[in-house]
Amino acid sequence: SVSFGNIVGKSPAMMQVFDIIQRATPLNTTVLIQGESGTGKDLVARHIHFNGPRKDKPFIVVNCAAIPESLVESELFGHEKGAFTGAEASRPGKFEAAHQGTIFLDEIGDMRAGSQAKLLRVLQDGTVERIGSTHGRKVDVRVIAATNRDLKALVDSGEFRRDLYYRLDVLPIFLPPLRERLEDLPLLVAHLRKKISEILLEMGHKTRV
């Protein structure tokens, strides 16, 4: 096989990636996808979810780098009405929204220390507690995390919690950049040309690219 949906390649490095993806897909194990920006980490996460046992359940994406530190807890775990100024209604967080499905924590390496501690608690006991609530809610969520940073180096420098890293690094997938697998370039070009042709045909153009 040289294609997993939109992930294309036949280099030894990519065949190894495809093998791990194939093994990861039917499981409920936490997956950590590492690779530079543009290597297709989100494509891998989507493939694992939409071809796995939870495919009919929610796939919730959280960009950890885009949420202000002050809102991370509310965003991930939700809040009760009146928990803070502006909380006019109770709201579930992303973990509750992903119940029985998958939560994709993108750019996990950018999460601040306080949020890391709260995330670790959820991963340990599968319980989320909304801000302003006195009781936890059990959630059944598969976690897929991704980062373009070297998490191991962040752990060594003290920027990322070691215990959280071990919780996430259950089934690691490293995506090599294209420059390290140039033999995949013709395949990728052909794949993109086919995709563009299909889009143009759908738009009513009869032109082949």
Side-chain angles (χ1 to χ4, degrees), residues 35-43 107 148 175-178 181 188:
E36 295 177 11
S37 296
T39 47
K41 296 184 291 295
D42 59 324
L43 297 178
E107 306 301 356
N148 58 10
L175 295 182
L178 193 56
R181 52 183 185 97
L188 194 58

Side-chain angles (χ1 to χ4, degrees), residues 77-80 90-92 96 128-133 137:
F77 314 127
H79 60 253
E80 296 295 3
S90 294
R91 194 173 69 85
E96 280 183 72
V128 295
E129 200 171 293
R130 293 183 185 180
I131 300 172
S133 175
R137 289 173 165 80

Side-chain angles (χ1 to χ4, degrees), residues 50-113:
F50 288 105
N51 291 277
R54 294 172 180 255
K55 62 178 183 287
D56 299 321
K57 301 298 182 183
F59 178 75
I60 304 293
V61 180
V62 179
N63 184 335
C64 299
I67 309 170
E69 172 70 4
S70 58
L71 296 178
V72 169
E73 203 176 343
S74 168
E75 204 49 37
L76 289 180
F77 314 127
H79 60 253
E80 296 295 3
K81 182 179 179 180
F84 50 84
T85 308
E88 289 164 17
S90 294
R91 194 173 69 85
K94 301 287 191 188
F95 268 90
E96 280 183 72
H99 182 58
Q100 295 187 327
T102 303
I103 192 163
F104 176 42
L105 301 171
D106 200 8
E107 306 301 356
I108 190 79
D110 292 281
M111 188 177 266
R112 299 284 173 266

Side-chain angles (χ1 to χ4, degrees), residues 130-194:
R130 293 183 185 180
I131 300 172
S133 175
T134 52
H135 66 278
R137 289 173 165 80
K138 278 283 179 192
V139 287
D140 166 23
V141 175
R142 183 181 193 175
V143 176
I144 301 178
T147 181
N148 58 10
R149 304 180 70 186
D150 183 344
L151 268 198
K152 189 77 176 67
L154 292 177
V155 168
D156 292 340
S157 67
E159 292 174 70
F160 201 85
R161 293 181 66 110
R162 191 174 298 275
D163 44 9
L164 178 57
Y165 172 68
Y166 287 133
R167 280 271 169 188
L168 295 171
D169 193 39
V170 180
L171 211 164
I173 298 175
F174 287 91
L175 295 182
L178 193 56
R179 65 175 179 277
E180 289 178 12
R181 52 183 185 97
L182 290 176
E183 63 263 53
D184 289 336
L185 195 53
L187 273 177
L188 194 58
V189 170
H191 178 75
L192 291 173
R193 283 177 64 164
K194 184 169 175 286

